[in-house]
């Protein structure tokens, strides 16, 4: 018994830094938010208890629900483009390709570059006046005048491309890890039976990759719904709210530094918005989790 408690004490001491950081940076802010979402509080003065009024305001907040719709468009576009490209690159790099290790590093590089740096670079590339994209298109006579890539019509499309560029390498490595775990005996047996590359992919690769694919899709859904950093730096949610997403709207309420938002912090209302946003993300993630479990039972 003494040895058991001694080991418990040693493990607790070893884990104490992580426990303290989690409590200070995770648990305490959550408790703080759960408290103030029932108050009218702007960061100073005495908080005023208003019950569920903040949640009633969320239900009537057209800007917030517009940001929810924009989030679904942004996340859906990112997922539809990113996941197939990531899988395709993983399949290609899983073969005996010359310079494969170098290509893996190149494709993974965007995931370790600062979001601020990526945003500045792409803002310069897609600049409407002297951006590299417009310059190239006009030299090739594909357009007669500069395209407003960050305007109302193309801003969301441009941001999705930026998000895809930054995420492909990460999911590619996860798919690649899953591919390398598939026994090669299965492919050799399929070759003996006369199966071509397409049949091997559909009948061996995809079924064997399903558990990894489910994890990758779940991670991609969460990351896409929570992403806002590059949007904040490139468009600030504009023009006229066309690229405003949930977490960017929440950020502006808690840290009102962007244009078009009140200059006064709305910590009480922001806490309520944060709670509703977390519920939406959690509901979508839970729905996907349930669907994936049902599919596992079916197949």
């Amino acid at each position: 018994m003494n040895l058991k408690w001694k080991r418990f004490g040693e493990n607790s001491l070893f884990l104490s830094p992580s426990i303290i950081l989690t409590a200070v940076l995770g648990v305490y802010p959550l408790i703080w938010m759960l408290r103030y979402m029932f108050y009218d509080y702007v960061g100073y003065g005495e908080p005023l208890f208003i019950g569920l009024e903040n949640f009633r305001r969320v239900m009537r907040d057209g800007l917030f629900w517009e940001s929810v719709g924009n989030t679904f468009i942004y996340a859906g576009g990112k997922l539809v483009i990113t996941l197939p490209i990531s899988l395709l690159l993983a399949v290609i790099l899983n073969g005996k390709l010359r310079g494969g290790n170098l290509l893996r590093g190149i494709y993974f590089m965007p995931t370790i570059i600062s979001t601020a740096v990526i945003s500045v670079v792409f803002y310069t590339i897609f600049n409407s006046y002297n951006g590299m994209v417009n310059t190239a298109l006009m030299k090739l006579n594909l357009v007669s005048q500069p395209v407003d890539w960050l305007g109302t019509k193309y801003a969301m499309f441009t941001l999705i491309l930026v998000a895809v560029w930054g995420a492909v390498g990460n999911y590619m490595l996860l798919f690649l890890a899953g591919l390398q775990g598939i026994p090669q005996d299965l492919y050799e047996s399929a070759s003996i039976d006369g199966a071509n590359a397409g049949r091997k992919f559909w009948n061996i690769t995809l079924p064997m990759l399903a558990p990894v694919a489910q994890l990758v899709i779940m991670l991609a859904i969460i990351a896409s719904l929570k992403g806002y950093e590059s949007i904040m730096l490139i468009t600030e949610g504009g023009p006229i709210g066309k690229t405003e997403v949930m977490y960017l709207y929440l950020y502006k309420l808690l840290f009102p530094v962007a244009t078009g938002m009140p200059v006064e912090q709305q910590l009480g209302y922001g806490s309520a918005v944060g709670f509703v946003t977390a519920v939406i993300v959690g509901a979508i993630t839970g729905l996907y989790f349930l669907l994936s479990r049902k599919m596992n039972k079916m197949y």
Side-chain angles (χ1 to χ4, degrees), residues 81-118:
I81 300 175
T82 302
L83 295 179
I85 295 177
S86 300
L87 179 58
L88 177 61
L89 291 175
V91 171
I92 294 174
L93 294 176
N94 191 47
K96 296 180 180 179
L97 184 67
R98 179 176 295 180
N101 291 332
L102 176 62
L103 291 175
R104 292 178 195 177
I106 292 174
Y107 291 136
F108 185 73
M109 186 68 69
T111 64
I112 61 176
I113 299 177
S114 168
T115 303
V117 174
I118 293 175

mmCIF file of all heavy atoms in Angstrom, residues 81-118:
data_model
loop_
_atom_site.group_PDB
_atom_site.id
_atom_site.type_symbol
_atom_site.label_atom_id
_atom_site.label_comp_id
_atom_site.label_asym_id
_atom_site.label_seq_id
_atom_site.Cartn_x
_atom_site.Cartn_y
_atom_site.Cartn_z
ATOM 1 N N ILE A 81 -12.393 20.493 -50.735
ATOM 2 C CA ILE A 81 -11.180 20.623 -51.542
ATOM 3 C C ILE A 81 -9.979 19.973 -50.859
ATOM 4 O O ILE A 81 -9.190 19.261 -51.486
ATOM 5 C CB ILE A 81 -10.878 22.104 -51.830
ATOM 6 C CG1 ILE A 81 -12.039 22.741 -52.600
ATOM 7 C CG2 ILE A 81 -9.587 22.248 -52.636
ATOM 8 C CD1 ILE A 81 -11.888 24.235 -52.813
ATOM 9 N N THR A 82 -9.840 20.184 -49.555
ATOM 10 C CA THR A 82 -8.633 19.754 -48.847
ATOM 11 C C THR A 82 -8.505 18.239 -48.746
ATOM 12 O O THR A 82 -7.432 17.678 -49.039
ATOM 13 C CB THR A 82 -8.610 20.355 -47.430
ATOM 14 O OG1 THR A 82 -8.672 21.777 -47.509
ATOM 15 C CG2 THR A 82 -7.341 19.946 -46.691
ATOM 16 N N LEU A 83 -9.558 17.570 -48.336
ATOM 17 C CA LEU A 83 -9.457 16.133 -48.062
ATOM 18 C C LEU A 83 -9.128 15.307 -49.306
ATOM 19 O O LEU A 83 -8.236 14.447 -49.248
ATOM 20 C CB LEU A 83 -10.740 15.642 -47.392
ATOM 21 C CG LEU A 83 -11.001 16.226 -45.994
ATOM 22 C CD1 LEU A 83 -12.306 15.700 -45.428
ATOM 23 C CD2 LEU A 83 -9.851 15.912 -45.053
ATOM 24 N N PRO A 84 -9.787 15.513 -50.453
ATOM 25 C CA PRO A 84 -9.391 14.735 -51.637
ATOM 26 C C PRO A 84 -7.956 14.999 -52.082
ATOM 27 O O PRO A 84 -7.238 14.066 -52.464
ATOM 28 C CB PRO A 84 -10.401 15.199 -52.704
ATOM 29 C CG PRO A 84 -11.568 15.693 -51.942
ATOM 30 C CD PRO A 84 -10.995 16.312 -50.708
ATOM 31 N N ILE A 85 -7.535 16.277 -52.030
ATOM 32 C CA ILE A 85 -6.156 16.589 -52.423
ATOM 33 C C ILE A 85 -5.166 15.937 -51.464
ATOM 34 O O ILE A 85 -4.137 15.371 -51.885
ATOM 35 C CB ILE A 85 -5.941 18.114 -52.475
ATOM 36 C CG1 ILE A 85 -6.797 18.744 -53.585
ATOM 37 C CG2 ILE A 85 -4.469 18.443 -52.699
ATOM 38 C CD1 ILE A 85 -6.697 20.246 -53.648
ATOM 39 N N SER A 86 -5.460 15.986 -50.169
ATOM 40 C CA SER A 86 -4.569 15.377 -49.178
ATOM 41 C C SER A 86 -4.456 13.879 -49.407
ATOM 42 O O SER A 86 -3.358 13.305 -49.344
ATOM 43 C CB SER A 86 -5.095 15.645 -47.769
ATOM 44 O OG SER A 86 -5.162 17.027 -47.498
ATOM 45 N N LEU A 87 -5.579 13.220 -49.664
ATOM 46 C CA LEU A 87 -5.560 11.777 -49.909
ATOM 47 C C LEU A 87 -4.799 11.450 -51.185
ATOM 48 O O LEU A 87 -3.999 10.503 -51.219
ATOM 49 C CB LEU A 87 -6.987 11.247 -49.994
ATOM 50 C CG LEU A 87 -7.140 9.751 -50.279
ATOM 51 C CD1 LEU A 87 -6.422 8.923 -49.226
ATOM 52 C CD2 LEU A 87 -8.620 9.376 -50.353
ATOM 53 N N LEU A 88 -5.011 12.237 -52.232
ATOM 54 C CA LEU A 88 -4.323 12.003 -53.500
ATOM 55 C C LEU A 88 -2.810 12.140 -53.332
ATOM 56 O O LEU A 88 -2.034 11.288 -53.807
ATOM 57 C CB LEU A 88 -4.831 12.979 -54.559
ATOM 58 C CG LEU A 88 -4.154 12.911 -55.931
ATOM 59 C CD1 LEU A 88 -4.360 11.541 -56.556
ATOM 60 C CD2 LEU A 88 -4.669 14.017 -56.844
ATOM 61 N N LEU A 89 -2.375 13.186 -52.659
ATOM 62 C CA LEU A 89 -0.938 13.374 -52.431
ATOM 63 C C LEU A 89 -0.358 12.249 -51.585
ATOM 64 O O LEU A 89 0.765 11.785 -51.833
ATOM 65 C CB LEU A 89 -0.685 14.724 -51.756
ATOM 66 C CG LEU A 89 -0.937 15.972 -52.597
ATOM 67 C CD1 LEU A 89 -0.769 17.220 -51.742
ATOM 68 C CD2 LEU A 89 0.003 16.003 -53.786
ATOM 69 N N ALA A 90 -1.118 11.801 -50.580
ATOM 70 C CA ALA A 90 -0.638 10.710 -49.734
ATOM 71 C C ALA A 90 -0.460 9.428 -50.532
ATOM 72 O O ALA A 90 0.534 8.711 -50.366
ATOM 73 C CB ALA A 90 -1.609 10.482 -48.575
ATOM 74 N N VAL A 91 -1.418 9.137 -51.415
ATOM 75 C CA VAL A 91 -1.322 7.934 -52.240
ATOM 76 C C VAL A 91 -0.112 8.022 -53.170
ATOM 77 O O VAL A 91 0.639 7.050 -53.347
ATOM 78 C CB VAL A 91 -2.618 7.732 -53.051
ATOM 79 C CG1 VAL A 91 -2.447 6.609 -54.071
ATOM 80 C CG2 VAL A 91 -3.775 7.421 -52.115
ATOM 81 N N ILE A 92 0.099 9.185 -53.765
ATOM 82 C CA ILE A 92 1.237 9.355 -54.675
ATOM 83 C C ILE A 92 2.559 9.211 -53.932
ATOM 84 O O ILE A 92 3.476 8.505 -54.375
ATOM 85 C CB ILE A 92 1.158 10.727 -55.376
ATOM 86 C CG1 ILE A 92 -0.066 10.787 -56.303
ATOM 87 C CG2 ILE A 92 2.433 11.002 -56.170
ATOM 88 C CD1 ILE A 92 -0.302 12.148 -56.908
ATOM 89 N N LEU A 93 2.669 9.863 -52.774
ATOM 90 C CA LEU A 93 3.922 9.836 -52.022
ATOM 91 C C LEU A 93 4.158 8.502 -51.329
ATOM 92 O O LEU A 93 5.280 8.203 -50.922
ATOM 93 C CB LEU A 93 3.936 10.963 -50.985
ATOM 94 C CG LEU A 93 3.962 12.380 -51.546
ATOM 95 C CD1 LEU A 93 3.885 13.397 -50.426
ATOM 96 C CD2 LEU A 93 5.215 12.605 -52.376
ATOM 97 N N ASN A 94 3.105 7.698 -51.192
ATOM 98 C CA ASN A 94 3.268 6.382 -50.579
ATOM 99 C C ASN A 94 3.951 5.398 -51.525
ATOM 100 O O ASN A 94 4.463 4.368 -51.080
ATOM 101 C CB ASN A 94 1.905 5.826 -50.151
ATOM 102 C CG ASN A 94 2.025 4.604 -49.274
ATOM 103 O OD1 ASN A 94 2.807 4.572 -48.323
ATOM 104 N ND2 ASN A 94 1.258 3.574 -49.591
ATOM 105 N N GLY A 95 3.945 5.716 -52.805
ATOM 106 C CA GLY A 95 4.630 4.876 -53.774
ATOM 107 C C GLY A 95 6.124 5.157 -53.795
ATOM 108 O O GLY A 95 6.634 6.038 -53.088
ATOM 109 N N LYS A 96 6.818 4.397 -54.596
ATOM 110 C CA LYS A 96 8.270 4.566 -54.713
ATOM 111 C C LYS A 96 8.558 5.729 -55.654
ATOM 112 O O LYS A 96 8.811 5.554 -56.844
ATOM 113 C CB LYS A 96 8.908 3.277 -55.215
ATOM 114 C CG LYS A 96 8.758 2.107 -54.243
ATOM 115 C CD LYS A 96 9.405 0.849 -54.779
ATOM 116 C CE LYS A 96 9.236 -0.320 -53.795
ATOM 117 N NZ LYS A 96 9.840 -1.570 -54.314
ATOM 118 N N LEU A 97 8.484 6.924 -55.094
ATOM 119 C CA LEU A 97 8.652 8.147 -55.874
ATOM 120 C C LEU A 97 10.000 8.766 -55.547
ATOM 121 O O LEU A 97 10.353 8.948 -54.374
ATOM 122 C CB LEU A 97 7.523 9.127 -55.553
ATOM 123 C CG LEU A 97 7.470 10.429 -56.340
ATOM 124 C CD1 LEU A 97 7.158 10.142 -57.809
ATOM 125 C CD2 LEU A 97 6.411 11.352 -55.752
ATOM 126 N N ARG A 98 10.759 9.096 -56.574
ATOM 127 C CA ARG A 98 12.059 9.738 -56.350
ATOM 128 C C ARG A 98 11.858 11.126 -55.734
ATOM 129 O O ARG A 98 11.052 11.918 -56.217
ATOM 130 C CB ARG A 98 12.807 9.859 -57.670
ATOM 131 C CG ARG A 98 14.172 10.530 -57.552
ATOM 132 C CD ARG A 98 14.914 10.546 -58.870
ATOM 133 N NE ARG A 98 15.237 9.171 -59.313
ATOM 134 C CZ ARG A 98 15.885 8.907 -60.440
ATOM 135 N NH1 ARG A 98 16.269 9.908 -61.233
ATOM 136 N NH2 ARG A 98 16.138 7.646 -60.777
ATOM 137 N N GLY A 99 12.590 11.395 -54.683
ATOM 138 C CA GLY A 99 12.453 12.680 -53.988
ATOM 139 C C GLY A 99 11.203 12.761 -53.139
ATOM 140 O O GLY A 99 10.762 13.864 -52.802
ATOM 141 N N GLY A 100 10.652 11.604 -52.754
ATOM 142 C CA GLY A 100 9.412 11.597 -51.980
ATOM 143 C C GLY A 100 9.543 12.289 -50.638
ATOM 144 O O GLY A 100 8.649 13.026 -50.216
ATOM 145 N N ASN A 101 10.659 12.066 -49.944
ATOM 146 C CA ASN A 101 10.861 12.694 -48.637
ATOM 147 C C ASN A 101 10.940 14.214 -48.752
ATOM 148 O O ASN A 101 10.415 14.945 -47.904
ATOM 149 C CB ASN A 101 12.134 12.163 -47.986
ATOM 150 C CG ASN A 101 11.998 10.697 -47.578
ATOM 151 O OD1 ASN A 101 10.896 10.232 -47.293
ATOM 152 N ND2 ASN A 101 13.112 9.984 -47.558
ATOM 153 N N LEU A 102 11.574 14.681 -49.813
ATOM 154 C CA LEU A 102 11.658 16.125 -50.029
ATOM 155 C C LEU A 102 10.277 16.712 -50.294
ATOM 156 O O LEU A 102 9.931 17.782 -49.771
ATOM 157 C CB LEU A 102 12.604 16.424 -51.201
ATOM 158 C CG LEU A 102 12.724 17.896 -51.614
ATOM 159 C CD1 LEU A 102 13.283 18.719 -50.457
ATOM 160 C CD2 LEU A 102 13.611 18.025 -52.851
ATOM 161 N N LEU A 103 9.489 16.014 -51.098
ATOM 162 C CA LEU A 103 8.141 16.495 -51.403
ATOM 163 C C LEU A 103 7.254 16.508 -50.159
ATOM 164 O O LEU A 103 6.441 17.419 -49.984
ATOM 165 C CB LEU A 103 7.510 15.624 -52.486
ATOM 166 C CG LEU A 103 8.118 15.746 -53.886
ATOM 167 C CD1 LEU A 103 7.484 14.755 -54.838
ATOM 168 C CD2 LEU A 103 7.943 17.168 -54.420
ATOM 169 N N ARG A 104 7.417 15.521 -49.312
ATOM 170 C CA ARG A 104 6.651 15.511 -48.066
ATOM 171 C C ARG A 104 6.966 16.752 -47.236
ATOM 172 O O ARG A 104 6.066 17.396 -46.672
ATOM 173 C CB ARG A 104 6.985 14.259 -47.254
ATOM 174 C CG ARG A 104 6.505 12.966 -47.868
ATOM 175 C CD ARG A 104 6.934 11.784 -47.014
ATOM 176 N NE ARG A 104 6.791 10.532 -47.735
ATOM 177 C CZ ARG A 104 7.137 9.344 -47.254
ATOM 178 N NH1 ARG A 104 7.658 9.262 -46.039
ATOM 179 N NH2 ARG A 104 6.969 8.247 -47.974
ATOM 180 N N GLY A 105 8.252 17.077 -47.143
ATOM 181 C CA GLY A 105 8.635 18.268 -46.397
ATOM 182 C C GLY A 105 8.087 19.545 -47.006
ATOM 183 O O GLY A 105 7.646 20.447 -46.292
ATOM 184 N N ILE A 106 8.085 19.607 -48.338
ATOM 185 C CA ILE A 106 7.569 20.801 -49.026
ATOM 186 C C ILE A 106 6.075 20.960 -48.778
ATOM 187 O O ILE A 106 5.585 22.054 -48.482
ATOM 188 C CB ILE A 106 7.877 20.720 -50.531
ATOM 189 C CG1 ILE A 106 9.386 20.823 -50.764
ATOM 190 C CG2 ILE A 106 7.138 21.817 -51.297
ATOM 191 C CD1 ILE A 106 9.790 20.598 -52.200
ATOM 192 N N TYR A 107 5.334 19.852 -48.905
ATOM 193 C CA TYR A 107 3.883 19.923 -48.725
ATOM 194 C C TYR A 107 3.506 20.195 -47.273
ATOM 195 O O TYR A 107 2.467 20.811 -47.004
ATOM 196 C CB TYR A 107 3.228 18.622 -49.193
ATOM 197 C CG TYR A 107 3.292 18.403 -50.681
ATOM 198 C CD1 TYR A 107 3.633 17.163 -51.215
ATOM 199 C CD2 TYR A 107 3.010 19.448 -51.559
ATOM 200 C CE1 TYR A 107 3.699 16.961 -52.588
ATOM 201 C CE2 TYR A 107 3.074 19.258 -52.936
ATOM 202 C CZ TYR A 107 3.414 18.015 -53.437
ATOM 203 O OH TYR A 107 3.490 17.826 -54.801
ATOM 204 N N PHE A 108 4.343 19.735 -46.330
ATOM 205 C CA PHE A 108 4.046 19.936 -44.919
ATOM 206 C C PHE A 108 4.467 21.323 -44.431
ATOM 207 O O PHE A 108 3.965 21.799 -43.416
ATOM 208 C CB PHE A 108 4.746 18.869 -44.078
ATOM 209 C CG PHE A 108 4.416 18.926 -42.618
ATOM 210 C CD1 PHE A 108 3.177 18.516 -42.156
ATOM 211 C CD2 PHE A 108 5.350 19.392 -41.686
ATOM 212 C CE1 PHE A 108 2.865 18.574 -40.813
ATOM 213 C CE2 PHE A 108 5.043 19.449 -40.341
ATOM 214 C CZ PHE A 108 3.802 19.033 -39.897
ATOM 215 N N MET A 109 5.361 21.980 -45.146
ATOM 216 C CA MET A 109 5.914 23.258 -44.724
ATOM 217 C C MET A 109 4.849 24.313 -44.371
ATOM 218 O O MET A 109 4.993 25.014 -43.353
ATOM 219 C CB MET A 109 6.842 23.806 -45.804
ATOM 220 C CG MET A 109 7.596 25.067 -45.404
ATOM 221 S SD MET A 109 8.802 24.743 -44.099
ATOM 222 C CE MET A 109 9.991 23.743 -45.008
ATOM 223 N N PRO A 110 3.766 24.472 -45.152
ATOM 224 C CA PRO A 110 2.783 25.510 -44.804
ATOM 225 C C PRO A 110 2.165 25.351 -43.425
ATOM 226 O O PRO A 110 1.723 26.340 -42.828
ATOM 227 C CB PRO A 110 1.719 25.358 -45.894
ATOM 228 C CG PRO A 110 2.443 24.760 -47.050
ATOM 229 C CD PRO A 110 3.454 23.841 -46.438
ATOM 230 N N THR A 111 2.123 24.118 -42.891
ATOM 231 C CA THR A 111 1.480 23.911 -41.599
ATOM 232 C C THR A 111 2.307 24.444 -40.432
ATOM 233 O O THR A 111 1.772 24.618 -39.339
ATOM 234 C CB THR A 111 1.209 22.412 -41.372
ATOM 235 O OG1 THR A 111 2.458 21.705 -41.310
ATOM 236 C CG2 THR A 111 0.366 21.847 -42.499
ATOM 237 N N ILE A 112 3.593 24.693 -40.649
ATOM 238 C CA ILE A 112 4.445 25.177 -39.557
ATOM 239 C C ILE A 112 4.798 26.653 -39.733
ATOM 240 O O ILE A 112 5.524 27.210 -38.919
ATOM 241 C CB ILE A 112 5.735 24.343 -39.453
ATOM 242 C CG1 ILE A 112 6.567 24.437 -40.731
ATOM 243 C CG2 ILE A 112 5.411 22.890 -39.132
ATOM 244 C CD1 ILE A 112 7.908 23.712 -40.638
ATOM 245 N N ILE A 113 4.293 27.274 -40.794
ATOM 246 C CA ILE A 113 4.526 28.699 -41.007
ATOM 247 C C ILE A 113 3.473 29.492 -40.243
ATOM 248 O O ILE A 113 2.309 29.099 -40.175
ATOM 249 C CB ILE A 113 4.475 29.047 -42.510
ATOM 250 C CG1 ILE A 113 5.562 28.282 -43.266
ATOM 251 C CG2 ILE A 113 4.655 30.544 -42.730
ATOM 252 C CD1 ILE A 113 5.525 28.508 -44.767
ATOM 253 N N SER A 114 3.868 30.594 -39.679
ATOM 254 C CA SER A 114 2.951 31.441 -38.921
ATOM 255 C C SER A 114 1.758 31.866 -39.773
ATOM 256 O O SER A 114 1.902 32.217 -40.949
ATOM 257 C CB SER A 114 3.687 32.680 -38.414
ATOM 258 O OG SER A 114 2.785 33.639 -37.924
ATOM 259 N N THR A 115 0.576 31.827 -39.166
ATOM 260 C CA THR A 115 -0.640 32.255 -39.868
ATOM 261 C C THR A 115 -0.539 33.710 -40.294
ATOM 262 O O THR A 115 -1.029 34.083 -41.362
ATOM 263 C CB THR A 115 -1.868 32.071 -38.956
ATOM 264 O OG1 THR A 115 -1.956 30.710 -38.543
ATOM 265 C CG2 THR A 115 -3.141 32.456 -39.684
ATOM 266 N N ALA A 116 0.100 34.535 -39.472
ATOM 267 C CA ALA A 116 0.264 35.946 -39.818
ATOM 268 C C ALA A 116 1.096 36.098 -41.088
ATOM 269 O O ALA A 116 0.768 36.900 -41.972
ATOM 270 C CB ALA A 116 0.908 36.694 -38.666
ATOM 271 N N VAL A 117 2.179 35.321 -41.187
ATOM 272 C CA VAL A 117 3.034 35.387 -42.374
ATOM 273 C C VAL A 117 2.267 34.918 -43.609
ATOM 274 O O VAL A 117 2.309 35.547 -44.673
ATOM 275 C CB VAL A 117 4.302 34.546 -42.163
ATOM 276 C CG1 VAL A 117 5.127 34.484 -43.448
ATOM 277 C CG2 VAL A 117 5.134 35.106 -41.022
ATOM 278 N N ILE A 118 1.563 33.799 -43.479
ATOM 279 C CA ILE A 118 0.774 33.272 -44.597
ATOM 280 C C ILE A 118 -0.256 34.295 -45.059
ATOM 281 O O ILE A 118 -0.448 34.519 -46.261
ATOM 282 C CB ILE A 118 0.084 31.965 -44.180
ATOM 283 C CG1 ILE A 118 1.115 30.869 -43.950
ATOM 284 C CG2 ILE A 118 -0.920 31.518 -45.241
ATOM 285 C CD1 ILE A 118 0.531 29.579 -43.408
#
